């Protein structure tokens, strides 16, 4: 029978999981980040000496990585979900679909599915880097910029993150923003003393950095702000010897175009499901 084992302070298991994920880190950057933080929120599903899959469970968010589906994995997840409430599942589409089948069998109702595309910065000898939009300056942000960034953070979460019907809490957004400023590389574009666009990138991955939180004020869209920010973050990743990746809604064609201009190409299907 397959069992679920927490990776907390288990050096051998932490190493085994990192090898198991291997080159697929770009599909599970959040999971890998939790792994590098000590594994207290990372779990392995294994049968005897065989590792079947891994996941991270942080708060009520579930980050799965299951290379293949099996009844043993589903049975183990049913047991886990009997004691843990899940509000969000985020990962490679095939892994999320597997988790959703388990939740559906347990009569859990999905309130929103978001089909996404994973994109990754690739080398291209014909690539022409985007230029800094006219009249703007690039700012590498710190905690001291939190007040100025807060309007962008609130708008980003309201438009891009929160599922329909969910209430936005400013104090939560402030906490998320400050944590991002402490842990991530956060860049913003400034014009006439105001921040008009922002984006961040996680730094803790082994070979991959994940870009997120990309937002431009409506009046400044179409000027290349997102392309320049994302491209600039990809350069920060290259300095660390890592690749940059991101995910975007499948039907957000303007954003996909912006990321293509930044040198990113589609890699496959990603999915976020809310419960």
């Amino acid at each position: 029978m397959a069992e679920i084992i927490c990776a907390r302070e288990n050096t051998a298991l932490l190493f085994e999981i990192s090898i198991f994920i291997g080159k697929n880190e770009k599909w599970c950057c959040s999971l890998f980040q939790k792994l590098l933080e000590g594994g207290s929120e990372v779990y392995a599903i294994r049968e005897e000496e065989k590792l079947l899959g891994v996941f991270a469970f942080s708060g009520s968010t579930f980050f799965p990585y299951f290379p293949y589906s099996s009844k043993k994995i589903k049975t183990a997840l049913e047991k886990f979900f009997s004691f843990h409430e899940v509000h969000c599942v985020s990962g490679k589409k095939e892994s999320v679909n597997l988790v959703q089948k388990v939740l559906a069998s347990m009569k859990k109702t999905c309130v929103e599915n978001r089909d996404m595309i994973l994109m990754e910065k690739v080398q291209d000898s014909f690539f022409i880097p985007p230029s800094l939009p006219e009249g703007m300056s690039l700012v590498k942000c710190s905690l001291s910029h939190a007040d100025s960034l807060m309007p962008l953070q609130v708008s980003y979460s309201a438009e891009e993150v929160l599922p329909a019907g969910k209430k936005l809490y400013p104090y939560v957004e402030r906490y998320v923003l400050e944590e991002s400023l402490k842990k991530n590389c956060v860049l913003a574009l400034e014009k006439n003393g105001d921040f008009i666009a922002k984006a961040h990138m996680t730094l803790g991955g082994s070979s991959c950095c994940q870009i997120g939180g990309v937002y431009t004020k409506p009046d400044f869209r179409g000027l290349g702000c997102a392309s320049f920010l994302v491209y600039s973050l990809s350069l920060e990743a290259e300095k660390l010897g890592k690749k940059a990746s991101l995910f975007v809604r499948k039907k957000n064609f303007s954003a996909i175009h912006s990321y293509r201009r930044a040198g990113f190409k589609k890699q496959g299907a990603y999915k976020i499901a809310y419960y």
Side-chain angles (χ1 to χ4, degrees), residues 1-273:
M1 179 181 292
E3 60 177 339
I4 295 178
I5 305 170
C6 182
R8 182 190 296 112
E9 298 179 359
N10 186 331
T11 305
L13 182 56
L14 289 170
F15 179 74
E16 185 180 3
I17 291 173
S18 68
I19 297 300
F20 183 77
I21 293 174
K23 295 181 180 179
N24 292 289
E25 182 187 343
K26 63 188 177 186
W27 292 102
C28 42
C29 286
S30 295
L31 193 166
F32 208 90
Q33 180 69 42
K34 299 296 181 184
L35 188 70
L36 295 176
E37 291 173 357
S40 62
E41 297 176 313
V42 178
Y43 299 82
I45 300 178
R46 67 186 309 166
E47 183 180 35
E48 297 178 351
E49 297 302 313
K50 185 179 181 181
L51 197 57
L52 303 179
V54 297
F55 64 87
F57 185 67
S58 180
S60 59
T61 302
F62 194 88
F63 301 101
Y65 175 62
F66 303 123
Y68 57 89
S69 176
S70 78
K71 183 173 179 58
K72 293 174 181 178
I73 292 175
K74 293 176 182 177
T75 301
L77 289 178
E78 286 175 359
K79 184 176 180 180
F80 184 85
F81 292 141
S82 296
F83 298 95
H84 299 85
E85 191 73 21
V86 177
H87 292 146
C88 178
V89 185
S90 177
K92 193 173 184 179
K93 187 172 183 178
E94 292 84 354
S95 293
V96 174
N97 285 344
L98 186 157
V99 175
Q100 287 195 279
K101 288 179 181 179
V102 174
L103 292 172
S105 71
M106 301 176 70
K107 309 302 181 185
K108 305 292 184 180
T109 302
C110 178
V111 297
E112 184 179 346
N113 280 312
R114 293 184 184 177
D115 287 314
M116 320 287 285
I117 295 170
L118 183 99
M119 302 183 72
E120 184 178 53
K121 178 69 164 60
V122 297
Q123 297 298 322
D124 185 346
S125 57
F126 297 100
F127 172 65
I128 300 175
S131 302
L132 176 67
E134 186 177 355
M136 300 183 193
S137 58
L138 181 67
V139 179
K140 194 167 186 177
C141 300
S142 65
L143 204 53
S144 64
H145 295 104
D147 287 343
S148 300
L149 288 168
M150 189 61 182
L152 294 176
Q153 175 66 29
V154 170
S155 296
Y156 165 72
S157 288
E159 294 180 30
E160 299 293 336
V161 179
L162 291 179
K166 293 292 184 179
K167 185 177 179 180
L168 186 145
Y169 295 96
Y171 71 91
V172 173
E173 297 306 320
R174 180 69 182 211
Y175 173 79
V176 170
L177 174 61
E178 291 187 0
E179 286 298 298
S180 181
L181 288 165
K182 291 176 186 176
K183 299 178 180 179
N184 303 324
C185 177
V186 181
L187 300 182
L189 290 177
E190 185 180 42
K191 184 172 185 178
N192 299 327
D194 292 326
F195 284 139
I196 54 92
K198 72 164 188 76
H200 73 255
M201 181 178 70
T202 59
L203 299 175
S206 174
S207 61
C208 180
C209 295
Q210 183 171 289
I211 295 173
V214 184
Y215 185 80
T216 304
K217 285 184 176 180
D219 290 345
F220 295 91
R221 292 173 185 172
L223 301 178
C225 297
S227 295
F228 185 77
L229 282 174
V230 168
Y231 172 69
S232 298
L233 286 170
S234 74
L235 295 182
E236 295 293 324
E238 288 178 11
K239 291 177 185 177
L240 299 172
K242 303 176 182 180
K243 284 190 172 183
S245 66
L246 55 81
F247 51 83
V248 57
R249 294 199 194 204
K250 187 177 180 179
K251 294 186 178 182
N252 191 344
F253 302 115
S254 61
I256 293 171
H257 175 69
S258 294
Y259 302 148
R260 280 177 171 161
R261 288 190 60 218
F264 286 67
K265 291 189 177 181
K266 296 179 182 179
Q267 300 297 308
Y270 194 92
K271 189 175 185 180
I272 302 176

